[in-house]
Amino acid sequence: MVDAYTRTMGRYAVFAGRVSRSVFWMFVLVQAAILLAALLLAFVVHYAFAIFSAVYIVATLIPTLAAIARRLHDIEKSIGWLLIGVGVASLAFVIAFAHFVFGDMALGIAFYDEGRLDEIPDGIVKDSIRETLLRAGLLSFGIGAVVGAIGGTLVIRLVALLGQPGDPGENKYGLAI
């Protein structure tokens, strides 16, 4: 297990070649164990371990992406799947997050933040503003949910690809390791 992790980290930024399914998933397992341990220590001991977790994630981003690229090569898929899976999904989650935040703000003002609407006299204008905020909030929540679902679907597809058995022998990306 540790050998798979050190072998993968030893090929820090190598996006060429192949990595077997077992070596890749052992690498992912060790990374998950390190992050889980750091987060548990952050919860139990001191929040500084949460900072370690964030630094560790950033420090291992390139080797993780390289390992994913090599794993895709093992099943004879191009790095384009990585770009589609991670890039589009990341963009989708950012858009979804922004819409959820906007929707929450709009609904919060419409329903709970009477102080902002109290400055407007009661009547048609106040009701119209509240209705507009309500519609904007609900629309934003809907867009966020749809975009988030698309991003989640792409991530699930990428994980399913990473779990497929590799091509035995040689393919256009080299020999199996």
Side-chain angles (χ1 to χ4, degrees), residues 127-140:
D127 291 340
S128 176
I129 291 171
R130 187 182 307 274
E131 186 176 317
T132 302
L133 287 169
L134 178 62
R135 286 183 180 167
L138 292 175
L139 176 66
S140 196

Side-chain angles (χ1 to χ4, degrees), residues 21-94:
R21 181 169 53 171
S22 61
V23 169
F24 174 78
W25 287 110
M26 285 298 141
F27 169 73
V28 170
L29 181 66
V30 171
Q31 273 198 300
I34 291 169
L35 285 172
L36 181 63
L39 290 173
L40 285 173
L41 287 171
F43 181 71
V44 174
V45 179
H46 196 269
Y47 69 90
F49 287 102
I51 296 169
F52 168 77
S53 299
V55 169
Y56 180 79
I57 289 170
V58 170
T60 60
L61 182 63
I62 292 173
T64 301
L65 293 176
I68 292 170
R70 290 193 308 270
R71 179 71 198 116
L72 288 170
H73 289 169
D74 192 46
I75 60 170
E76 209 159 357
K77 301 286 184 198
S78 74
I79 198 168
W81 282 95
L82 173 65
L83 298 175
I84 290 170
V86 175
V88 174
S90 298
L91 180 64
F93 284 122
V94 167

